[in-house]
Amino acid sequence: MPSDAVLYQAAALCLTRPDDDLRARLPLLREAAPQLREFADHAALTPAAELAAHYARVFDSRHSLYLSRWRTDEVPDATHDPDGADGTDDPDGTDGPSLTRYAARYRAHGLEFAGAEPPDFLPAVLELAARTGETGLLTDHRAGLERLRARLTAFGTPYASVLDAVCAALPVSPTGPTDPVGPLRPLSEEGPPAPRRSPGARE
């Protein structure tokens, strides 16, 4: 069994938009993280264009990888405007002030978040956990991650096996209040912008 850090890093790679870098790493990923072999085998056998199209189709508004798009209930926020048409400066459909709470977790470990995606992008949060052992954002969103896992399973995508592995690896949360960032719920039925390459954090 791989260490949790290796699993989190491998899962982050699996959940980013598939490209040549992912395909080149599949043999190593398959050996380093056996829990992800189902997805790794699928990705290896699927033509690149087909895999990319499947990724775009899977991670729509009902399977969002942006943690700030989720809350504790299942009712979409009717006031949320992902296109910024409500006059707010929110071109990516995310809540700017709430995203600073995610970025603060990176800074707490001496890291400056950098990348095309916002800091609530699940692959970025998994990468943070892999690099620092910081699993707070993941455990705070445990209920939402379980819902995402269930939705992916119902959708019939191999990406569900990645969430299976992530959820199984999460440490038990201590009893008490959750982080103010809040657990996952999709805010918009319109869907997030198409995910780009995984962001990272630099020292």
Side-chain angles (χ1 to χ4, degrees), residues 4 23 38 43 46 65 101 108 110 113 117 128 159 162-163 178 203:
D4 289 345
R23 301 187 80 86
E38 178 182 344
T46 304
L65 292 174
R101 300 170 183 169
F113 185 83
E117 295 289 356
L128 174 67
Y159 282 105
V162 181
L163 267 293
T178 59
E203 296 180 2

Side-chain angles (χ1 to χ4, degrees), residues 7 23 34 54 60 83 88 90 98 104 112 124 130 132 137 142 182 201:
L7 174 61
R23 301 187 80 86
H54 179 73
D60 61 8
D83 297 320
T88 61
D90 192 18
S98 73
E112 184 66 30
T132 69
L137 288 175
R142 182 191 302 274

Side-chain angles (χ1 to χ4, degrees), residues 143-199:
L145 287 170
E146 289 287 356
R147 289 199 298 273
L148 175 59
R149 181 186 64 80
R151 288 184 179 184
L152 292 175
T153 299
F155 193 78
T157 172
Y159 282 105
S161 65
V162 181
L163 267 293
D164 286 343
V166 169
C167 290
L170 292 181
V172 177
S173 299
T175 302
T178 59
D179 185 271
V181 170
L184 290 156
R185 176 187 69 77
L187 288 176
S188 171
E189 294 297 327
E190 297 295 326
R196 296 174 290 278
R197 289 181 60 91
S198 172

